[in-house]
Amino acid sequence: MHITIFGTSVNWLAQLFDIIGFIVFIFAYQQKKNRFVAVSIIAYLFFILESLSILLIDNVNTWANIIGTASGIVRNIFMLYFAIKKDKEVPMWIALVILAATWGLNVPFFEAWYTYIPCVALTICSITAVQKNYYILKVGAMVNEAAFIVYNFAVGGYAGVVREIILVLVIAYSMVVMAVKEGKIKLPSFAAIKLKMQYTIEDTFYRIYEHEHMKHVAHRLAHHKA
């Protein structure tokens, strides 16, 4: 179940699950809120399989991540239910109950420092996920993915490190695209950029011409006085 990459033994099954989940997540982050929540459940399932393979094959404690990711799935199911059936966000008390259960289940598995990361990341992500503002949800997701850069490196999920870095960039990009579509950010058109460049070039040449012309006039005046 291991291959050697750049002199490092890597669990290829874990990396495979990671890559599949990563592709699904990239697709999810380009969707609107409800579809994002639904598609991300599929990605979470692959991340659980990744953690299980590391746990069973490499004997590395990944229970914190398994429990945390499973809690994320439960949270997303509640989010979909309330969004579709109730047309509102998940009540904060439900999110807090899920978080309390997650921390409680993880207590027996807290060992090394990195085992705390999934719970801390999930706490931030869950609190921001139940907010009405979709931008807040995405900021929470960015913090979550950034935290897992450290976690994946600690447990040997090297493909996960690359995945999380790319996902942070993807989330940032999706936020900009969403803001542009909603008119919160106005990007100049290609024609406006071209016109501005043309004006800048013409203005530069005019200033050079004016400078040389004034030098010529000054030279002629000095010559005339002499």
Side-chain angles (χ1 to χ4, degrees), residues 147-164:
F148 274 95
I149 293 174
V150 180
Y151 178 82
N152 280 298
F153 185 81
V155 300
Y158 302 113
V161 174
V162 178
R163 175 196 75 201
E164 303 300 345

Side-chain angles (χ1 to χ4, degrees), residues 1 40 42 51 104 121 127 130 135 193 204 207 210 218:
M1 290 293 182
S40 62
I42 300 172
S51 294
I127 291 174
V130 297
Y135 291 96
I193 294 173
T204 301
R207 288 179 182 276
E210 187 179 47

